[in-house]
Amino acid sequence: MTPDHAPDQGGTAFSAALRAKRRAAGLTQAELAGRAGVGVRTVRDLERGRSRPQRTTVDLIASALGLTGKERSDFLGAARGQGAEGSAVPATPAAIGLPQTGELIGRDLDASEVAALLTGVERQTVSLVGLAGVGKTGLALTVAHQVAEQHPGGVAGILVSEVSTPVDVLTAIASVFGVGRAADLTARLAAGPALLVVDAIERAPGAVAEALNWLGTSAPTLRVLATGRHPIGLPGERVWPVAPLEVPPADVEADLETVARYPAAALFLARLRQVRRKPLEPAEVGALVGLVRRLGGLPLALELAAARGRVLDLNEILNRYGDRVLDLAGPAQRTAKEAITVSLRDAVAASYRVLEADERRAVRRLSAFRNRWSVELAEAVLADDLGSLAGDPVPLLDRLIALGLVSVRGSGPFRFRLLDVVRDFATERAAANGELGRVRRRHASVFARLAARTAPDLAGAKFSVAVTRLDDVASDLWAALAYSANDDPHTALQLAASLPRWWRFRGRDVPGRQWLRRLLDDPRTADADPVVRAWAGVGLAQLAIEHGAGQDELPAVEAALEEFQRAGHLTGELAARSLLCALWMANGGYDEARRHGEAALGLATEAGRVRDMAVAQNNLTWHEIRLGDLRAARRRLAAVDRLAAEGGEPRLRALAWANLAEVARLDARYAEAEALGRRAVTALAEIGDPGHRRRALGTIGMALAQSGRLDEATAVLAEIRGLTAAPEPAAGSRTGESGEVASVEAMLALQRGDRELAAEWFTVAARAYAGDRDLRDVAEALVGLVASTDEPEAKMAARDWLSSICKEGGITLLPRERALIEK
């Protein structure tokens, strides 16, 4: 039962009459609202004198109270401002009230821009359009109060009902502006601009449009601010889609103060405080981020979820409702016959019903997108299902944006997003219509083609652009892969075969390799395009190399090379030979590695493929370093730099500088090593390649330490640690440190005369590098270990270890390294 509420001071004669009639009927506010078919808040505000009674609402309430005859006419007269003796109560335009709103969170920009539209020179009709519960009414009331001073003719509002006729709408407008008839509005509003707020126009759109059309010529100074699930449809109407509130990004710092700066989180917290006094625990902040993101920033959803905070903590709310947000519902509103519970699903369904059949079908197709998408992607997904939209998705997107079902954020191509709750609802409808499988297959096919088109750019001058493009649709790529792996494995294989370079760059080598292995082993892909299977085999090995398992995939790459040669696929053959060069080096087959490297260089040179020539020269550089021929290594790297510059390859050029820096350091040219290294680090930072940037910083740190610039080397060491993905080890621990960190620490200790500490760090470096299969680095660390170890037995063990590494890697030590171990 809803308790009665005392009226505010300043209540009207009508508010007193309403309260007396309701009590005489033995009804609560909620029961009267249920009988009349109006909101309980409407009844409450009328009894408090907070809002002006509207004719349609008063008629509904009078019928619900069972009023007839003179009792009914007196009641209606009180609503029109008539006293008991029939004397007129003067209407004061400046006092024509709208309910005050509380703090409007996250809408400051919307409010100021809509206010600017309404206070322009020309007469204006602005419609705030959006999903139920997005906050249209609150925004409209805030704007109305902000612009009241610019509307000397008055500011007033009406709420449309489902049974409103054009006459009802005009009569209600006349009433709130204090005149008896609509015809009197012309004279009443002639003194200056006035503002009319029309709420919920979707309840009677035809009636509202007809009434406002008439007012357009009869009351030219009247400005209109409307709210609804769709525009009114008037000439010159300005449609303002009301989007959900901004949510925090997924990677936001899990700090309550930081998270609360985002409007969606701020609103949720404000509503949570109304039902829960206990402050948020630190362990709930992550759930707060996940929850407001899952709710898509929709105010109604945020308020419904926050109401659960009376019983559940935030982790429990997320676990319970995170996968079924559409089930969130408010408390039941009781009528005389039944209890009605309005859920988030009902709110979305109301906007869905506004759409035409072909628009609904299109929304069900768009529901397959997991994040933001472009016009081109929408066109591809809708290509065979546009119906009367004539193949152009732009009018459809324009309508969905105008209805507030699609949000637009940012300025890049991937700026469109179906609201989360709309996507969930449309997915349910697709499943109910038996078309969900077809929708998802289409989505997977579109993204497989996108990945295939993008893959060549991941190995060229457009690398950064290609990575960004895939980053923008990452969640859709994973969703497409997960679905098609079960239901369309050929599409899944095509998709996965295009992504290894992206996976490797983003550190997803392990899951990427698992996907490729699963798909290649799936008997349903045995008859897939052989070239696609060959690319999948190459990708499998590319990813395996990242965690030291490349040699396991050597047979797959050899088979891929044969397939590429059989198909006359030059790009594939060059990729396979380049990879075989690296795999054979890691496997100890140095002659084979060199053979593939030289073959790749010959093929690339013959075909005039500049980038592939640079890659082959870079691969062959390792052989020169392995044999201790630093002069030959410098010549090859100079060629890489020249070719990369010619081909417009900034990343390949940066890697050439990094390798040149390492060669200079091995040759004891420390100043040159530092200069080249810093040049490479700057370029790699701009490109966004933390792995190679860390290695280049390792070169700089070692060069500085070896040249005695210990303070500068220590500063570089801190930078390296900042780029290391592994957690920082406990104080005094060496476990888990990267090879670069351990090498610089070892050289610093050696330069400071702490040979025992240096030996410890050189051991850590050798083990770390051995895990990466970079045997030249292992050998250098072991040279340091031998040079810094004083105990004869330990020195002998280090020498044996070094000897085995040199034999395994075919490594020839540099003269200065031999001098160090012979001391």
Side-chain angles (χ1 to χ4, degrees):
M1 301 287 284
T2 302
D4 291 342
H5 295 270
D8 291 351
Q9 293 180 355
T12 65
F14 175 72
S15 67
L18 172 58
R19 188 165 56 255
K21 298 293 184 186
R22 175 180 60 76
R23 288 175 173 172
L27 299 173
T28 67
Q29 291 175 341
E31 288 169 338
L32 176 57
R35 285 189 180 186
V38 300
V40 67
R41 181 177 175 181
T42 300
V43 175
R44 186 180 304 133
D45 287 346
L46 287 172
E47 287 197 7
R48 291 178 174 181
R50 285 186 172 180
S51 63
R52 295 277 299 182
Q54 300 168 25
R55 175 180 173 178
T56 303
T57 303
V58 175
D59 281 340
L60 292 171
I61 291 174
S63 298
L65 289 168
L67 303 181
T68 59
K70 186 175 185 303
E71 187 179 22
R72 182 184 182 97
S73 63
D74 287 347
F75 183 77
L76 297 178
R80 290 195 297 271
Q82 300 297 316
E85 298 179 0
S87 58
V89 177
T92 307
I96 293 175
L98 291 171
Q100 290 286 344
T101 61
E103 180 187 8
L104 194 65
I105 296 174
R107 299 292 190 198
D108 293 344
L109 183 60
D110 281 313
S112 63
E113 292 185 351
V114 172
L117 288 175
L118 289 169
T119 53
V121 176
E122 296 182 1
R123 178 185 183 275
Q124 187 66 272
T125 296
V126 179
S127 291
L128 306 180
V129 177
L131 196 65
V134 80
K136 303 181 294 293
T137 301
L139 176 59
L141 293 175
T142 297
V143 171
H145 285 289
Q146 285 183 0
V147 301
E149 291 185 2
Q150 287 77 43
H151 293 83
V155 178
I158 65 168
L159 175 65
V160 180
S161 76
E162 286 81 357
V163 296
S164 294
T165 65
V167 172
D168 292 332
V169 174
L170 288 171
T171 302
I173 295 171
S175 176
V176 296
F177 278 109
V179 295
R181 301 176 306 155
D184 298 329
L185 283 169
T186 302
R188 163 68 182 78
L189 300 175
L195 175 65
L196 172 68
V197 178
V198 184
D199 196 18
I201 62 104
E202 75 279 352
R203 294 179 180 176
V208 172
E210 186 174 338
L212 294 184
N213 239 336
W214 181 85
L215 283 171
T217 56
S218 302
T221 62
L222 181 65
R223 293 167 176 154
V224 177
L225 178 59
T227 74
R229 294 185 189 126
H230 57 77
I232 304 170
L234 296 175
E237 174 185 8
R238 292 293 299 271
V239 178
W240 189 274
V242 181
L245 298 174
E246 183 184 1
V247 301
D251 59 352
V252 69
E253 180 184 355
D255 169 72
L256 183 57
E257 184 178 352
T258 302
V259 173
R261 295 192 188 110
Y262 291 88
L267 177 61
F268 182 91
L269 291 170
R271 299 298 179 262
L272 184 66
R273 285 192 289 270
Q274 295 176 359
V275 299
R276 166 180 157 171
R277 295 182 180 179
K278 181 182 176 183
L280 226 61
E281 299 288 342
E284 294 180 277
V285 178
L288 170 63
V289 174
L291 193 57
V292 297
R293 285 181 58 81
R294 185 65 187 89
L295 297 171
L298 185 68
L300 173 62
L302 295 167
E303 293 177 359
L304 292 175
R308 301 300 190 273
R310 194 189 307 276
V311 177
L312 306 172
D313 70 24
L314 264 59
N315 286 291
E316 291 170 330
I317 297 173
L318 180 60
N319 291 336
R320 189 174 185 84
Y321 296 103
D323 293 331
R324 53 188 188 94
V325 296
L326 290 173
D327 292 334
L328 285 167
Q333 296 184 7
R334 297 189 176 276
T335 68
K337 295 181 178 180
E338 60 181 340
I340 301 174
T341 301
V342 178
S343 70
L344 195 55
R345 181 179 285 101
D346 298 325
V348 180
S351 290
Y352 184 74
R353 287 193 293 270
V354 171
L355 301 173
E356 301 295 335
D358 57 347
E359 293 170 336
R360 295 180 191 178
R361 188 168 60 249
V363 167
R364 295 195 296 271
R365 276 291 183 94
L366 295 173
S367 72
F369 287 117
R370 310 317 296 167
N371 198 8
R372 302 195 184 282
W373 32 271
S374 64
V375 173
E376 289 72 23
L377 283 175
E379 186 171 25
V381 164
L382 298 170
D384 61 351
D385 202 21
L386 284 169
S388 63
L389 298 175
D392 183 1
V394 174
L396 168 71
L397 296 184
D398 184 56
R399 177 153 162 79
L400 296 180
I401 292 167
L403 294 176
L405 301 178
V406 168
S407 65
V408 184
R409 290 278 174 88
S411 57
F414 301 99
R415 62 185 182 276
F416 304 96
R417 179 186 175 94
L418 206 62
L419 300 191
D420 293 66
V421 292
V422 176
R423 182 190 66 205
D424 290 352
F425 181 84
T427 300
E428 285 186 354
R429 300 315 307 154
N433 292 348
E435 60 189 11
L436 187 57
R438 182 162 59 92
V439 166
R440 287 177 170 170
R441 281 193 296 275
R442 180 71 179 178
H443 172 266
S445 176
V446 166
F447 279 93
R449 291 198 298 271
L450 171 67
R453 290 195 306 270
T454 306
D457 292 339
L458 291 168
K462 299 178 181 178
F463 173 81
S464 297
V465 174
V467 167
T468 300
R469 184 184 310 139
L470 295 181
D471 287 346
D472 285 338
V473 295
S475 54
D476 279 289
L477 292 171
W478 288 110
L481 185 57
Y483 173 78
S484 58
N486 292 322
D487 288 63
D488 188 6
H490 279 221
T491 296
L493 183 64
Q494 179 189 1
L495 175 59
S498 302
L499 298 177
R501 286 192 176 97
W502 178 60
W503 279 333
R504 182 176 60 180
F505 185 71
R506 288 301 179 209
R508 305 304 299 272
D509 48 287
V510 173
R513 185 185 178 200
Q514 291 169 341
W515 274 113
L516 283 166
R517 174 51 60 205
R518 169 186 167 180
L519 291 166
L520 283 170
D521 290 345
D522 189 330
R524 295 175 296 172
T525 66
D527 61 344
D529 183 344
V531 171
V532 172
R533 287 186 62 87
W535 276 116
V538 167
L540 198 63
Q542 288 174 331
L543 298 172
I545 285 176
E546 294 299 306
H547 50 273
Q551 62 272 19
D552 296 342
E553 308 299 343
L554 201 154
V557 185
E558 294 280 13
L561 174 61
E562 292 179 9
E563 183 55 51
F564 288 135
Q565 288 176 318
R566 189 162 38 247
H569 199 302
L570 178 60
T571 300
E573 181 176 356
L574 286 167
R577 287 195 181 278
S578 179
L579 188 55
L580 284 168
C581 183
L583 289 173
W584 277 114
M585 282 193 295
N587 208 37
Y590 306 113
D591 291 340
E592 279 293 296
R594 187 155 202 144
R595 180 176 69 82
H596 282 295
E598 290 174 346
L601 180 59
L603 284 169
T605 303
E606 183 179 347
R609 297 179 60 139
V610 173
R611 183 184 187 279
D612 292 302
M613 290 164 61
V615 170
Q617 289 280 24
N618 195 59
N619 288 338
L620 288 168
T621 298
W622 192 91
H623 294 280
E624 315 299 0
I625 297 174
R626 178 175 60 88
L627 297 173
D629 192 345
L630 299 183
R631 182 177 298 178
R634 278 196 298 275
R635 284 198 300 270
R636 287 198 184 275
L637 288 172
V640 174
D641 186 18
R642 175 178 54 78
L643 291 166
E646 181 183 335
E649 293 276 356
R651 182 170 179 269
L652 196 53
R653 220 179 162 197
L655 295 180
W657 296 335
N659 290 336
L660 278 166
E662 180 65 4
V663 170
R665 186 190 66 80
L666 290 173
D667 206 16
R669 297 155 67 172
Y670 300 126
E672 181 183 342
E674 182 202 0
L676 284 166
R678 292 197 182 279
R679 189 177 181 187
V681 165
T682 300
L684 291 167
E686 292 175 358
I687 293 167
D689 190 336
H692 285 102
R693 183 180 166 200
R694 186 181 66 242
R695 289 188 64 85
L697 282 169
T699 295
I700 296 169
M702 284 291 286
L704 291 169
Q706 286 172 299
S707 61
R709 297 159 64 184
L710 305 190
D711 290 342
E712 293 171 80
T714 302
V716 170
L717 189 61
E719 284 189 70
I720 300 172
R721 280 199 165 101
L723 290 173
T724 302
E728 191 167 331
S733 172
R734 318 275 186 253
T735 306
E737 292 282 20
S738 69
E740 292 85 9
V741 166
S743 293
V744 177
E745 288 278 18
M747 189 56 64
L748 285 169
L750 190 62
Q751 293 284 46
R752 289 168 180 150
D754 192 340
R755 296 168 62 82
E756 182 178 350
L757 180 59
E760 289 183 31
W761 277 115
F762 277 128
T763 302
V764 172
R767 288 173 178 162
Y769 282 134
D772 289 339
R773 299 295 299 172
D774 195 332
L775 298 186
R776 185 63 186 75
D777 288 336
V778 177
E780 184 178 7
L782 290 176
V783 167
L785 177 59
V786 172
S788 58
T789 301
D790 294 324
E791 203 276 319
E793 191 172 328
K795 187 181 284 283
M796 181 64 70
R799 284 179 181 276
D800 291 343
W801 188 4
L802 174 60
S803 178
S804 67
I805 287 295
C806 288
K807 183 177 180 180
E808 181 184 353
I811 296 167
T812 301
L813 295 179
L814 299 170
R816 65 177 184 81
E817 291 175 321
R818 289 197 298 272
L820 282 172
I821 64 174
E822 289 169 2
K823 284 185 179 178

